[in-house]
Amino acid sequence: MKQLPLPIVRLRPNAKPQVIRHGFPWVFANEMVMDRRTKGLSHGGLVVLEDADRKPLGLGTINPKSKIAVRMLDRDTEAVVDQAWFASRIQTALDHRSRLYPDPFYRLIHAEADGLPGVVIDRFGDVAVVQPNAAWADRMFDMLSAALVEVTGCTTVIKNGTGRARSLEGLDEEMAVFTGQAPSGPIPVPMNGATYMADVMGGQKTGLFFDQRPNHAFAAQLAQGARVLDVFSHVGGFSLAALAGGAASALAVDGSAPALELAQAGAEATGVADRFETRQGDAFDVLEALGKAKERFDVVICDPPAFAPSKPALEKGMRAYERVARLATPLVKEGGYLVLCSCSHAADLKRFRDASARGIGKGGKRGMLVNTGFAGPDHPLMPQLAESGYLKALTFRL
């Protein structure tokens, strides 16, 4: 079915069309001719983008309310964005994940890198949790959901319309079971020899962080026979993997009681509850208290939330990362390991590494960097979009 002619939007003469031709997926509002007609276009509607010389650059979607005014969907300006189009993108993404993971627990769609800008889909067996963080995906959610069910066979689709990204798009918050029935409780997720409990209806983000999977596995290698401290543990990501890998004990620290209850349930499901302990409290306060008590661990992991989610928050965020490293360093035994993580888009690897090294120095020790980890291969990186490489995990031997 051929679609009706789409509105045309145009780059300003000083914009660089070659950036779009080389694959960059966004056009910012200050790069476009934002006349009255363009500003009046439908929120999340399809458009054809042209350069200043009226040469087509591709098919996109517009949001005049957002700083990211156009998100590119397809190089073909004649492409029809229907259920079959969505299904093709999802099938390509599924083919990649199916090669990597024997069980259907992974990030299925990682936004721009998988060709669906602003869309995140995490899969928990027959349950898919979708975050439509861009106006176009919210508007076309029916087709997206139908294609998802068609390709994967998932019986439950949950729309998780919460978070900062939606507010930047001018979208309301919404949480709903779109297809099927809500799970009766947390979903058990096998990963790195442990069992995690994912609360897909009430937990953080989609209920579980799949991105740290390879970093959990690396830390678990270091933790055999070790005493482990897992700070900002959420549902026990690092500590449960470490225990499954043979750690002698693990203490999980988090500010959220519900997250720690899920961590405890995961420890029981994994069969390691006898070696697992939790402590609820502010992470900085607990780190200070453990330091005063002269506690020492073989492996200390700190995986905080994004302290620098945007450029205005960058300097304050880097001071927070440095403080984490400074407080955690004295808790590591001589020759032990300190794992420091950042999921901040605005903090690049060098800046985070420098802040971590400063913190270790101020903590009174010298550290050698033995491993730099990133998100797993179910979180592909779009090379043209530095922001998609948000996760950094630095392992130091002190």
Side-chain angles (χ1 to χ4, degrees), residues 31-85:
E31 298 175 306
M32 291 184 54
V33 176
M34 294 296 284
D35 53 20
R36 182 181 297 178
R37 181 192 64 85
T38 301
K39 289 180 180 178
L41 289 174
S42 182
H43 191 197
L46 297 175
V47 293
V48 171
L49 177 69
E50 293 183 346
D51 64 16
D53 297 324
R54 301 179 184 266
K55 294 177 182 175
L57 294 169
L59 180 71
T61 172
I62 189 154
N63 184 352
K65 297 182 180 180
S66 173
K67 285 185 178 179
I68 303 173
V70 171
R71 296 174 188 264
M72 301 306 295
L73 297 183
D74 206 301
R75 289 177 181 270
D76 180 6
T77 59
E78 301 289 320
V80 177
V81 180
D82 55 11
Q83 184 173 326
W85 184 90

Side-chain angles (χ1 to χ4, degrees), residues 155-157 177-182:
T155 54
T156 297
V157 176
V177 178
F178 196 80
T179 302
Q181 294 184 321

Side-chain angles (χ1 to χ4, degrees), residues 32 77 104 111 150 168-169 176-177 192 195 208 220 240 260 265 294 329:
M32 291 184 54
T77 59
E150 173 195 334
L168 295 175
E169 284 280 297
V177 178
N192 289 322
T195 298
L208 195 69
L240 294 186
L260 290 177
K294 306 292 186 188
T329 291

Side-chain angles (χ1 to χ4, degrees), residues 108 123-128 148-157 179:
L108 175 60
R123 185 176 183 183
F124 302 88
D126 291 332
V127 177
L148 177 61
V149 170
E150 173 195 334
V151 172
T152 65
C154 285
T155 54
T156 297
V157 176
T179 302

Side-chain angles (χ1 to χ4, degrees), residues 5-225:
L6 296 173
I8 292 172
V9 295
R10 199 161 287 123
L11 293 181
R12 295 170 65 175
N14 61 347
K16 296 179 179 178
Q18 65 269 29
V19 174
I20 301 298
R21 289 195 175 98
H22 295 163
F24 190 74
W26 298 345
V27 183
F28 296 100
N30 62 4
E31 298 175 306
M32 291 184 54
V33 176
M34 294 296 284
D35 53 20
R36 182 181 297 178
R37 181 192 64 85
T38 301
K39 289 180 180 178
L41 289 174
S42 182
H43 191 197
L46 297 175
V47 293
V48 171
L49 177 69
E50 293 183 346
D51 64 16
D53 297 324
R54 301 179 184 266
K55 294 177 182 175
L57 294 169
L59 180 71
T61 172
I62 189 154
N63 184 352
K65 297 182 180 180
S66 173
K67 285 185 178 179
I68 303 173
V70 171
R71 296 174 188 264
M72 301 306 295
L73 297 183
D74 206 301
R75 289 177 181 270
D76 180 6
T77 59
E78 301 289 320
V80 177
V81 180
D82 55 11
Q83 184 173 326
W85 184 90
F86 278 106
S88 175
R89 299 284 165 110
I90 295 170
Q91 185 65 59
T92 298
L94 179 62
D95 290 345
H96 170 58
R97 276 72 178 180
S98 297
R99 289 175 179 268
L100 295 168
Y101 306 108
D103 301 312
F105 298 92
Y106 41 68
R107 174 149 295 182
L108 175 60
I109 294 292
H110 192 51
E112 280 76 0
D114 282 305
L116 294 176
V119 178
V120 167
I121 303 178
D122 281 349
R123 185 176 183 183
F124 302 88
D126 291 332
V127 177
V129 182
V130 185
Q131 291 183 301
N133 293 328
W136 78 278
D138 204 66
R139 178 172 173 157
M140 300 185 184
F141 195 84
D142 286 18
M143 277 193 292
L144 169 60
S145 177
L148 177 61
V149 170
E150 173 195 334
V151 172
T152 65
C154 285
T155 54
T156 297
V157 176
I158 296 166
K159 181 180 181 180
N160 183 337
T162 62
R164 176 176 174 271
R166 283 179 66 86
S167 64
L168 295 175
E169 284 280 297
L171 299 171
D172 294 333
E173 294 217 345
E174 178 186 4
M175 186 81 181
V177 178
F178 196 80
T179 302
Q181 294 184 321
S184 56
I187 298 173
V189 177
M191 197 159 54
N192 289 322
T195 298
Y196 295 88
M197 307 306 289
D199 179 3
V200 297
M201 293 299 294
Q204 290 184 40
K205 301 286 186 177
T206 62
L208 195 69
F209 297 108
F210 287 122
D211 53 1
Q212 286 280 26
R213 186 182 335 223
N215 302 317
H216 291 164
F218 182 77
Q221 282 184 284
L222 304 177
Q224 294 175 42

